[in-house]
Amino acid sequence: MRTFPLPHTGTDVSSIVLGFMRITDLDDDRIRRLVATALDVGVTVFDHADIYGGSPHTCEKRFGDAVTLTPSQRERISIQSKVGIREGWFDFSKDHIVTTVEASLGALGVDHLDTLLLHRPDTLVEPEEVAAAFDDLHASGKVLGFGVSNHTPGQIELLKTAVDQPILFDQVQLSIVHSPLIAAGLTANMGAEDQSIDRDNGLLDYARTRGITLQAWSPFQSGTPSGVFVGDRENYPDLNVALDEIADVYGSTPSAVATAWITRHPADIQVVLGTTSPDRVVEAAGGSDLRLTRQEWYRLFRTAGHTLP
């Protein structure tokens, strides 16, 4: 498992994050096997959200009921959860943030979150409300660090007008196929290219200069109705040929190579897995260690349908 130093913290984290949004229908033994495999291969970040599971705190409670971490395991694991999405609206008010975190702690069966992420941006956000919530949660020891999800640089800067704690993470959608985060910068100033439209407001470079770690969700999704691109030879024939051939070079698998495409980037982007398969966790962990050549990385980018000038 590839690890790297997390800015602002003095700690190391794994390149792979295991997400638990799909564990609702798993029995306790399957959840425990999934967690045990993740620990065995070196995953150090477990990702939750209050909304996962269809009703508030469902997946968090499934995890908490099934898993008892030893003190040494808890010490090496960073548990993060997210807050802010409600049914039909977003809510970054102090009261909602604080009460949701307290409910998450109870559901998870832990006394603190290592990281709390603000979920989708709330356009009605009042930074002073967020700051007050973060200050209370941090002072009480209920949350150690903070981040965001799906936020632009401007939205983060707005929060920082009041929030004192460093923003550690921004969780965003990214895969070889769905990569406007990266692709726009490679065709900057090319008016005839749709790819040159900046849909993330320069988030990649902003995050690198500010020490914000990006977490890539849906790392194997195309971002279209076709779904997963690995193995989809009808919609992505050239990409799958490239994935197969590069996997053969490394004695690996196409999914591992798709993981390696993200972790190869010098921005130290983490890959958030949504799988419930222990084998997929092992596969991704191995992929995080592959260091693709520049030629291989750009070949995957091009065969995914992106343009180079």
Side-chain angles (χ1 to χ4, degrees):
M1 169 73 71
R2 181 176 178 272
T3 63
F4 61 88
L6 183 66
H8 310 294
T9 68
T11 61
D12 288 351
V13 292
S14 59
S15 289
I16 302 300
V17 175
L18 182 57
F20 290 89
M21 71 176 294
R22 294 187 175 92
I23 65 170
T24 309
D25 297 326
L26 300 186
D27 62 34
D28 287 358
D29 284 342
R30 286 188 64 190
I31 295 173
R32 284 192 285 267
R33 284 198 299 273
L34 183 65
V35 169
T37 299
L39 292 171
D40 285 345
V41 298
V43 173
T44 65
V45 184
F46 288 174
D47 178 73
H48 294 271
D50 64 312
I51 64 166
Y52 290 166
S55 58
H57 308 289
T58 297
C59 285
E60 291 175 325
K61 191 172 190 314
R62 292 291 299 111
F63 177 92
D65 288 345
V67 178
T68 300
L69 297 170
T70 67
S72 63
Q73 288 173 334
R74 181 65 186 95
E75 185 176 349
R76 63 187 250 234
I77 290 300
S78 176
I79 295 179
Q80 68 181 30
S81 193
K82 296 183 282 294
V83 63
I85 298 179
R86 306 189 73 169
E87 191 171 352
W89 50 300
F90 300 144
D91 189 352
F92 285 178
S93 67
K94 177 187 175 182
D95 286 347
H96 180 65
I97 293 171
V98 171
T99 57
T100 299
V101 167
E102 290 171 346
S104 289
L105 294 177
L108 289 164
V110 297
D111 62 3
H112 72 275
L113 295 176
D114 296 275
T115 314
L116 175 68
L117 307 185
L118 300 177
H119 222 152
R120 293 281 179 181
D122 176 11
T123 194
L124 302 181
V125 63
E126 297 168 275
E128 295 78 11
E129 286 268 309
V130 174
F134 284 8
D135 287 346
D136 282 4
L137 292 167
H138 192 263
S140 66
K142 294 177 181 177
V143 179
L144 305 186
F146 300 90
V148 296
S149 182
N150 306 297
H151 277 56
T152 67
Q155 290 164 338
I156 294 172
E157 286 297 308
L158 177 61
L159 288 172
K160 288 170 65 176
T161 62
V163 171
D164 291 328
Q165 294 84 2
I167 301 299
L168 301 177
F169 301 101
D170 193 356
Q171 193 173 112
V172 293
Q173 185 173 5
L174 175 66
S175 70
I176 302 173
V177 172
H178 181 89
S179 55
L181 182 76
I182 293 171
L186 288 169
T187 49
N189 200 36
M190 296 180 66
E193 292 288 343
D194 178 73
Q195 179 182 304
S196 69
I197 298 172
D198 185 356
R199 293 176 169 83
D200 301 282
N201 301 103
L203 178 60
L204 178 62
D205 296 332
Y206 171 83
R208 292 182 74 178
T209 58
R210 299 301 196 278
I212 297 172
T213 298
L214 299 177
Q215 297 180 335
W217 58 270
S218 288
F220 308 122
Q221 293 286 331
S222 64
T224 71
S226 64
V228 176
F229 60 81
V230 178
D232 182 356
R233 300 179 188 280
E234 178 180 352
N235 293 294
Y236 302 100
D238 294 341
L239 174 59
N240 276 278
V241 169
L243 287 168
D244 289 343
E245 291 181 355
I246 295 170
D248 285 344
V249 170
Y250 291 97
S252 188
T253 67
S255 292
V257 172
T259 302
W261 186 85
I262 297 174
T263 59
R264 169 64 175 84
H265 199 284
D268 284 332
I269 302 169
Q270 291 178 300
V271 174
V272 183
L273 299 179
T275 186
T276 59
S277 165
D279 289 343
R280 292 289 188 186
V281 176
V282 174
E283 196 174 10
S288 75
D289 263 337
L290 299 181
R291 184 165 177 85
L292 302 178
T293 66
R294 289 174 180 266
Q295 185 176 8
E296 290 165 341
W297 191 95
Y298 278 107
R299 179 188 178 190
L300 292 169
F301 180 80
R302 288 185 290 103
T303 55
H306 304 301
T307 298
L308 289 180

